[in-house]
Amino acid sequence: MGNSPADFSQLASDAILYNPSDLACWVDSLLTEFAEPPPTCSSDFIVDPVNNQTVVNSAWTFAEPHTPQVHQNITYDEQQSLDNQLTVVTAMEEDSGIRLVHMLMTCAECVQSGDLSLATSLIDDMQGLLTHVNTVCGIGKVAGHFIDALSRRIFQGMGGGSVNGGSAFENEILYHHFYEACPYLKFAHFTANQAILEAFDGHDCVHVVDFNLMHGLQWPALIQALALRPGGPPLLRLTGIGPPSPDGRDSLREIGLRLAELARSVNVRFAFRGVAASRLEDVKPWMLQVNPKEAVAVNSIMQLHRLLGCEQTRNSPIDTVLSWIRGLNPKIMTVVEQEANHNQPGFLDRFTEALYYYSTMFDSLEACRIQPEKALAEIYIQREIGNVVSCEGSARVERHEPLAKWRRRLSGAGFRALRLGSNAFKQASMLLTLFSAEGYSVEENEGCLSLGWHSSPLIAASAWQAVPAWDNHMSSS
Amino acid sequence: MVQNHRREDHETGGENKEKRPKFFINDHVDILIEILERLDGRSLCVAASVCRLWCTIASNDSLWENLCFRHVSPPPSSVRSVVLALGGYKRLYTGCVRPVRSRLGRVRRASWARDEVQLSLSLFCVDYYERLGGSNSNGRLVEKSSPSSLMFLCKPVNV
């Protein structure tokens, strides 16, 4: 490699330096970048001074005017002070944190038993206690959200909730930032895509039904993988289900157009169909227009739990939907759900579980440094908390159930589990290694993958196939 | 560079009293390309700031294609059209392959080399898709024009 200083100086006479005064330290920063960097080294790419930024720009991208590194709102100084904030936890704060948790549990117990006056006074006490605790991170932040949810439950009754508080547009934005800030959704998408890709092997006409399209972030990677599969891409049809958008915007169609443009760039024949429905149980199979000759994949990322109404009647929404899914005879159904038990009838049990689950999730989010992604992701999670704690009946849609329960439910509905292969596991492990925090872990559990933070599983992905019908269903043979 | 010196010796050994111009690599673009093809990413970027000619050559996408697939068996030909459609090899390398490789370097297993490139390609595709969204008049939706899905790759590794 011809990088010796002698060669460098020989060419210096013909050199054009983009920023002569800073070339030396820029080269230094490049040379030190690949040594095992101390945490501060990264600031070379983040820090504001305009000179350094332009030099870095011109090194890495000549044609494009911007680089991914440019977009950082937190300056180096702020970063330092944030770090300090995070690491300093006094003994008194720890005590207050523990007291907060105890008070939260007591308050939840009061709510369950109906002692609302005591609950109210506890809420006041807790809000007082919050002022002594660091609410920027740790237990203080999570406790704050739970206190809010509890007080909403007490004061507004149980329909008051965050589930209908946000418009579809807001929810999409929050979801997008949650996607960026932590790996849960990326893990879900990549794992599901891998399973779908393997299931579609050998088929020329494929149809994917997405139960919650949002911005369609899952599908570019699948389109690209199909474009590159040996034997060429199939004809891909995508049916995206999503809430209807108000004021004339057709967000489903816009996403469809974007995906179509991507597919066209990579030469994949693509057709999109949007189904607008405010609830999943309103969707009927004829709306999906499934062709009997095509291979169907049904993709549900954190949607099935919304169908678990509290009444266990025979025609509960979940049974209806599962039976028409089965009627489609999909080659694969990918199910990703939160690995939590938030659908227990008893309020206190649910509250305890939720407190533990969301504390873990907030913990994992601490490692995220990008703003505003982190803040908006927290609002996204906060809305979930609000729904689990302060809503009841049909307003409570976040009815998470653990994988074991889903296994029983899906097996009972005529599905059998497909093992997610080693490719999916490898891809998930690689994906996690890329994330900046080292607490994430992927585990394999009887053919299903789960992603967790410090060995507490938080989200689980599984794949299913319809068992050939033995009763008189109207399914193809 | 070894070739370089041999030529120099040959030239100066023959007629050393005459005023012959010294060997100048920029006169031999084919050799220059051969050399640049063997550089790693960082060196290629350093080389690109040397002079206009080197800059032009270094921004040639095929050099970056080499870099992406250096430790991997050659990919099928269909990959190139896809990568070019999504933004080109230089963007793929600087945005995805390099950060992925350096992050995974600590836990690298030999069998992962091809999967790293495939994962990079998938992330690259998501990035392209988000950049598509930036050109929409979607109001607040994608206000920031820079892609956000690769932000996590650019963040410092925080142990």
Side-chain angles (χ1 to χ4, degrees):
Chain A
M1 306 281 166
N3 261 356
S4 65
D7 297 331
F8 211 80
S9 57
Q10 179 186 18
L11 299 160
S13 53
D14 201 42
I16 293 178
L17 304 178
Y18 289 86
N19 196 336
S21 60
D22 272 333
L23 182 63
C25 57
W26 166 62
V27 172
D28 273 347
S29 71
L30 281 179
L31 290 173
T32 54
E33 182 212 346
F34 285 88
E36 203 52 34
T40 56
C41 188
S42 58
S43 64
D44 289 331
F45 290 103
I46 297 171
V47 110
D48 263 347
V50 178
N51 288 338
N52 278 346
Q53 235 180 23
T54 33
V55 172
V56 172
N57 273 349
S58 48
W60 294 109
T61 60
F62 300 97
E64 280 77 31
H66 65 267
T67 67
Q69 292 122 319
V70 170
H71 190 77
Q72 171 61 277
N73 294 330
I74 300 184
T75 64
Y76 180 58
D77 289 329
E78 276 177 35
Q79 190 70 30
Q80 279 289 60
S81 66
L82 253 185
D83 284 351
N84 290 339
Q85 259 183 321
L86 289 174
T87 50
V88 170
V89 176
T90 63
M92 182 170 77
E93 274 185 13
E94 268 189 41
D95 274 345
S96 301
I98 296 176
R99 279 179 61 203
L100 258 181
V101 174
H102 281 296
M103 288 171 75
L104 275 170
M105 304 299 299
T106 317
C107 187
E109 222 177 315
C110 295
V111 170
Q112 173 169 279
S113 59
D115 189 353
L116 293 186
S117 56
L118 181 53
T120 314
S121 70
L122 277 171
I123 297 260
D124 289 333
D125 292 342
M126 284 194 286
Q127 276 168 346
L129 194 53
L130 265 186
T131 58
H132 297 299
V133 175
N134 185 0
T135 51
V136 170
C137 64
I139 189 64
K141 185 189 272 185
V142 183
H145 297 320
F146 275 88
I147 294 171
D148 286 340
L150 273 174
S151 59
R152 221 174 310 135
R153 188 187 180 97
I154 296 172
F155 298 122
Q156 287 181 21
M158 295 182 269
S162 42
V163 63
N164 294 320
S167 67
F169 187 61
E170 275 177 32
N171 288 342
E172 281 176 16
I173 298 212
L174 292 179
Y175 188 85
H176 193 145
H177 285 89
F178 182 63
Y179 176 86
E180 303 300 354
C182 42
Y184 304 109
L185 289 180
K186 285 194 174 78
F187 162 77
H189 292 176
F190 275 75
T191 308
N193 282 346
Q194 184 67 30
I196 294 176
L197 188 68
E198 288 170 7
F200 279 168
D201 195 22
H203 289 89
D204 285 326
C205 280
V206 302
H207 186 168
V208 176
V209 178
D210 187 2
F211 277 359
N212 190 22
L213 186 65
M214 287 289 180
H215 291 162
L217 287 167
Q218 180 172 354
W219 307 116
L222 183 68
I223 293 175
Q224 172 257 311
L226 286 174
L228 291 178
R229 74 169 189 180
L235 164 65
L236 171 66
R237 291 179 56 210
L238 174 66
T239 300
I241 300 175
S245 29
D247 64 19
R249 271 182 69 236
D250 193 348
S251 54
L252 285 174
R253 189 166 168 273
E254 283 169 13
I255 302 296
L257 287 174
R258 257 168 81 181
L259 287 169
E261 195 180 326
L262 173 81
R264 192 175 43 235
S265 310
V266 299
N267 279 328
V268 174
R269 292 166 295 153
F270 180 78
F272 176 82
R273 186 178 169 75
V275 174
S278 38
R279 299 177 315 165
L280 192 51
E281 52 256 47
D282 296 335
V283 175
K284 303 283 178 282
W286 59 262
M287 299 175 186
L288 308 174
Q289 294 196 346
V290 169
N291 192 325
K293 292 205 194 69
E294 55 194 8
V296 177
V298 175
N299 181 70
S300 160
I301 309 281
M302 308 194 303
Q303 295 305 300
L304 287 186
H305 64 251
R306 304 170 88 88
L307 301 167
L308 298 173
C310 39
E311 321 89 45
Q312 299 294 322
T313 62
R314 248 189 98 233
N315 281 332
S316 58
I318 182 72
D319 294 322
T320 320
V321 172
L322 284 180
S323 80
W324 66 245
I325 294 178
R326 194 148 164 265
L328 297 177
N329 197 17
K331 281 234 74 176
I332 188 168
M333 174 169 71
T334 47
V335 174
V336 179
E337 286 287 328
Q338 289 93 334
E339 181 63 10
N341 202 355
H342 296 158
N343 198 21
Q344 293 148 302
F347 177 71
L348 182 59
D349 295 329
R350 213 160 75 223
F351 185 86
T352 315
E353 281 271 345
L355 187 58
Y356 181 68
Y357 180 84
Y358 287 106
S359 307
T360 315
M361 191 170 262
F362 265 93
D363 254 357
S364 74
L365 204 49
E366 280 311 316
C368 170
R369 296 281 188 214
I370 47 177
Q371 296 284 10
E373 279 81 358
K374 181 178 176 187
L376 291 174
E378 287 177 359
I379 298 180
Y380 175 85
I381 303 175
Q382 192 183 337
R383 288 202 176 171
E384 262 186 35
I385 296 175
N387 192 266
V388 174
V389 171
S390 65
C391 294
E392 282 302 335
S394 57
R396 177 156 64 94
V397 291
E398 300 292 344
R399 296 175 178 267
H400 311 147
E401 285 192 346
L403 181 60
K405 271 197 183 167
W406 282 110
R407 278 212 183 100
R408 279 197 298 273
R409 196 183 285 278
L410 289 170
S411 307
F415 292 89
R416 62 154 185 220
L418 292 174
R419 300 189 71 91
L420 298 168
S422 57
N423 281 335
F425 184 82
K426 195 177 359 175
Q427 185 180 239
S429 312
M430 279 175 57
L431 191 63
L432 286 186
T433 318
L434 298 176
F435 270 83
S436 50
E438 301 225 331
Y440 293 110
S441 58
V442 186
E443 273 167 23
E444 193 259 348
N445 177 356
E446 290 177 32
C448 303
L449 293 186
S450 64
L451 168 60
W453 173 256
H454 285 131
S455 71
S456 299
L458 291 177
I459 190 170
S462 53
W464 302 85
Q465 195 176 43
V467 171
W470 61 78
D471 54 1
N472 38 7
H473 256 293
M474 287 198 318
S475 57
S476 54
S477 56
Chain B
M1 281 310 173
V2 174
Q3 264 176 313
N4 188 0
H5 286 156
R6 255 191 241 134
R7 265 196 130 142
E8 209 170 359
D9 285 342
H10 168 74
E11 283 173 5
T12 55
E15 296 118 300
N16 45 7
K17 289 302 178 213
E18 294 185 16
K19 284 197 187 139
R20 287 184 72 94
K22 286 201 302 187
F23 175 84
F24 195 38
I25 186 69
N26 282 8
D27 293 333
H28 306 271
V29 175
D30 49 346
I31 301 180
L32 180 58
I33 292 179
E34 285 290 323
I35 297 170
L36 292 180
E37 264 177 5
R38 287 155 173 77
L39 292 182
D40 61 298
R42 172 189 57 157
S43 311
L44 196 52
C45 290
V46 170
S49 343
V50 165
C51 64
R52 284 193 195 98
L53 174 66
W54 285 42
C55 180
T56 315
I57 296 176
S59 32
N60 191 333
D61 225 28
S62 59
L63 285 183
W64 298 94
E65 181 177 356
N66 263 341
L67 259 182
C68 287
F69 295 113
R70 181 161 290 175
H71 305 293
V72 180
S73 53
S77 49
S78 50
V79 173
R80 179 176 299 150
S81 57
V82 169
V83 175
L84 290 181
L86 297 178
Y89 279 101
K90 181 159 68 166
R91 197 176 187 121
L92 171 63
Y93 183 79
T94 55
C96 299
V97 175
R98 191 186 68 82
V100 166
R101 268 192 197 149
S102 67
R103 294 284 181 90
L104 293 179
R106 287 169 295 139
V107 288
R108 163 84 52 82
R109 285 174 235 178
S111 57
W112 278 15
R114 183 163 212 129
D115 302 298
E116 282 173 8
V117 182
Q118 278 176 354
L119 181 61
S120 309
L121 203 46
S122 300
L123 293 171
F124 190 53
C125 194
V126 180
D127 170 57
Y128 170 80
Y129 176 71
E130 288 189 321
R131 275 181 280 134
L132 273 185
S135 55
N136 274 356
S137 55
N138 252 350
R140 278 167 50 214
L141 176 56
V142 267
E143 240 173 11
K144 36 188 178 172
S145 58
S146 56
S148 50
S149 123
L150 296 182
M151 289 301 288
F152 76 103
L153 282 180
C154 302
K155 288 308 115 195
V157 177
N158 200 8
V159 182

